Amino acid sequence: MPLFSHHKPRVLLPYALYLPQGQAPRGGWPLILFLHGSGERGRDGKKQATVGLGPAIQANPKSWPAVVLMPQCPKEAQWRGEPLARAYELLGQVETQYQTNPRRVYLTGLSMGGYGCWNLACQYPERFAAVAPICGAGDPFLVWQRLSRVPIWNFHGAADEVVPVSFSRALTDALAKAGNAQARYTEYPTEKHDVWNRVYRESEFIRWLFAQQKRKTR
């Protein structure tokens, strides 16, 4: 039985979905939205699960006790505008269908998906319990303006040959100026672009991610 189910709805984006084994914890499973990179774009609904978080889950499913949504961006598009809006709409549908924990919704992505993380988090800063962009970039002004209270752990390789590490450094500065005391930044001094292979297997990161919860609202 495959770990991921694949879906090709007529209106929304194709997506892969991971459902953990066993009984859901009190409050429901956490929910992770994963945004893939440019090389995984398409319409097959499968490719986006083959790079980054998907292989990490395949290697050690017990480390990822969450419902994981992996939408697929169209070939000529990026994680902004309509594709990003559709991914966000899918998130709401999955949340309702599987009764996931509304206090434990997490956002992560790599490369083009790292850009998407910053974009979506700036649009909906109250939506996510934590955000983990990997080797992406965003608008420092919007990050400073919108993400002063969101737990964020950003990752980048200093030797990145695709997305300059200076982008993440600028966003780290923006978060510091915003007074975000829950922001973390890890820069791997010798790693290149594909740092996601390391990040999604880091036990410290996984523990941090699942420890984040939004406060209960009265």
Side-chain angles (χ1 to χ4, degrees), residues 20 22 27 38 44 47 103 117 122 160-161 193 205 210 214:
S38 60
D44 64 359
K47 193 185 297 184
R103 298 175 57 213
C117 283
C122 284
D160 195 320
E161 72 283 16
H193 189 53
F205 165 65
F210 288 120
K214 289 174 61 177

Side-chain angles (χ1 to χ4, degrees), residues 4-7 13-18 32-36 45-57 67-73 79 87 90 94:
F4 296 90
S5 59
H6 305 284
H7 307 261
L13 303 175
Y15 64 94
L17 192 67
Y18 170 69
I32 299 174
L33 173 59
F34 169 76
L35 301 178
H36 64 78
K46 299 179 180 180
K47 193 185 297 184
Q48 75 279 17
T50 64
V51 176
L53 185 53
I57 293 173
V67 174
V68 183
L69 170 63
M70 300 183 171
Q72 187 176 30
C73 188
W79 286 125
L90 268 175
V94 169

Side-chain angles (χ1 to χ4, degrees), residues 17-171:
L17 192 67
Y18 170 69
L19 299 176
Q21 297 289 312
Q23 182 78 22
R26 185 176 180 181
W29 291 113
L31 174 58
I32 299 174
L33 173 59
F34 169 76
L35 301 178
H36 64 78
S38 60
E40 293 73 63
R41 290 177 291 185
R43 288 290 304 170
D44 64 359
K46 299 179 180 180
K47 193 185 297 184
Q48 75 279 17
T50 64
V51 176
L53 185 53
I57 293 173
Q58 293 273 7
N60 195 355
K62 291 183 179 179
S63 291
W64 297 95
V67 174
V68 183
L69 170 63
M70 300 183 171
Q72 187 176 30
C73 188
K75 191 69 175 177
E76 304 302 324
Q78 298 182 27
W79 286 125
R80 61 189 182 194
E82 185 177 353
L84 195 60
R86 289 187 174 185
Y88 187 74
E89 187 177 348
L90 268 175
L91 181 70
Q93 290 188 8
V94 169
E95 186 173 39
T96 299
Q97 181 176 354
Y98 294 97
Q99 295 294 295
T100 56
N101 191 329
R103 298 175 57 213
R104 302 181 71 194
V105 182
Y106 308 121
L107 172 63
T108 187
L110 57 89
S111 193
M112 183 184 81
Y115 283 72
C117 283
W118 291 110
N119 290 340
L120 194 60
C122 284
Q123 289 182 45
Y124 303 100
E126 303 298 326
R127 185 72 163 90
F128 300 102
V131 181
I134 302 175
C135 59
D139 183 331
F141 177 76
L142 285 179
V143 168
W144 167 78
Q145 188 180 51
R146 307 297 304 278
L147 299 182
S148 62
R149 299 181 180 180
V150 182
I152 295 172
W153 195 344
N154 181 28
F155 298 86
H156 218 121
D160 195 320
E161 72 283 16
V162 179
V163 180
V165 69
S166 58
F167 291 172
S168 278
R169 292 171 181 170
L171 295 173

